[in-house]
Amino acid sequence: MKEELIARVLQVLRINMSWMTWNLFLAFIPLALSVWLFRMRRGGTWLWWLGFLVFYAFLPNAPYLLTDVIHLIDDIRTIQSVWMITLVLIPVYLLVILGGFEAYVISLINWGYYLHRIGKSQWIWRVELITHFLCAVGVYWGRFLRFNSWDFITQPDAVITKGVEEILGKQPLVIIAISFVVLAGLYWIMKRVTLGLSQSDSRIGINSGSTKSNTPNI
């Protein structure tokens, strides 16, 4: 019985590993771009602006992992073992989901660092709110309309027409509004935790070096 249960858990994890790995990869693309755009380069060139557009196109992939909790519900029904669910399944999902959302948090922290560096610290909270809204729309497009980030290039007409038409309905607006509140709330918490850890241990690399002089008051 135990061997059968363990085999079932391993089968579920093996099936999930492909989409978990892929979704984490997509979530870390904007994180890598944020380091290049906001930490290593200054804006103004066409290459920087191109990277900036790609950054925002892929950024919703990071908080999108929050919606993958629906797969957890299906897996719980499949396994039906409290111990396996508690000790194996939930920790794996938490690791993946928190990893994706942390990529989102650090990406925006880097964006805020750049704004602070160019003397636009007062815009940080506005940019964060705008980004939360755009990502809430992006998450809706991805989860319900099944759009991908590269669809902005491969089928821009469908993204603009179908995407805009769909979000004007009452139900989509409610879902987007709830997603915005969840993103803003979780981001506020995780940002404080991340900045707190980075200030206590400079090896994290977010605000390493002259923390007091270079870190925006956010």
Side-chain angles (χ1 to χ4, degrees):
M1 184 67 178
K2 290 183 179 179
E3 290 78 7
E4 181 182 351
L5 181 59
I6 293 174
R8 191 182 308 166
V9 172
L10 292 177
Q11 181 183 9
V12 170
L13 292 178
R14 195 179 305 114
I15 294 173
N16 289 337
M17 196 57 62
S18 59
W19 68 259
M20 285 181 173
T21 304
W22 176 247
N23 285 356
L24 274 177
F25 170 74
L26 293 177
F28 276 84
I29 289 178
L31 175 59
L33 284 172
S34 74
V35 174
W36 180 73
L37 290 168
F38 308 132
R39 292 282 177 173
M40 300 173 60
R41 296 183 64 91
R42 297 191 67 88
T45 66
W46 69 268
L47 185 61
W48 189 92
W49 283 108
L50 177 61
F52 183 78
L53 293 176
V54 175
F55 166 77
Y56 262 100
F58 277 88
L59 187 59
N61 289 292
Y64 177 86
L65 279 160
L66 293 172
T67 67
D68 285 331
V69 70
I70 63 173
H71 298 300
L72 173 61
I73 297 173
D74 292 336
D75 290 342
I76 288 175
R77 292 171 180 169
T78 300
I79 294 176
Q80 295 181 342
S81 169
V82 175
W83 289 110
M84 287 297 180
I85 291 170
T86 305
L87 299 179
V88 179
L89 203 61
I90 291 179
V92 170
Y93 269 87
L94 281 178
L95 182 64
V96 172
I97 292 173
L98 288 178
F101 197 77
E102 182 64 14
Y104 178 71
V105 172
I106 298 177
S107 296
L108 284 189
I109 288 176
N110 288 337
W111 192 185
Y113 172 87
Y114 179 82
L115 291 172
H116 171 74
R117 193 175 66 184
I118 63 175
K120 302 293 184 181
S121 297
Q122 70 275 14
W123 279 93
I124 293 176
W125 69 270
R126 297 182 180 92
V127 167
E128 288 177 344
L129 290 179
I130 292 172
T131 302
H132 296 330
F133 173 75
L134 292 176
C135 284
V137 174
V139 169
Y140 178 83
W141 281 351
R143 175 54 64 188
F144 293 96
L145 303 185
R146 310 309 298 169
F147 282 128
N148 297 306
S149 297
W150 45 88
D151 286 332
F152 285 103
I153 297 176
T154 58
Q155 47 178 340
D157 293 341
V159 174
I160 295 174
T161 56
K162 184 179 179 181
V164 173
E165 288 176 1
E166 288 288 338
I167 65 173
L168 295 180
K170 182 178 180 180
Q171 182 177 358
L173 288 177
V174 171
I175 295 174
I176 291 171
I178 295 174
S179 300
F180 170 80
V181 172
V182 171
L183 287 182
L186 287 179
Y187 173 77
W188 186 88
I189 296 171
M190 292 294 293
K191 180 181 179 181
R192 265 71 195 162
V193 173
T194 302
L195 289 176
L197 291 174
S198 69
Q199 290 171 1
S200 63
D201 186 355
S202 60
R203 288 175 297 178
I204 290 181
I206 300 173
N207 289 312
S208 59
S210 54
T211 303
K212 293 182 179 180
S213 60
N214 289 332
T215 305
N217 185 21
I218 52 179

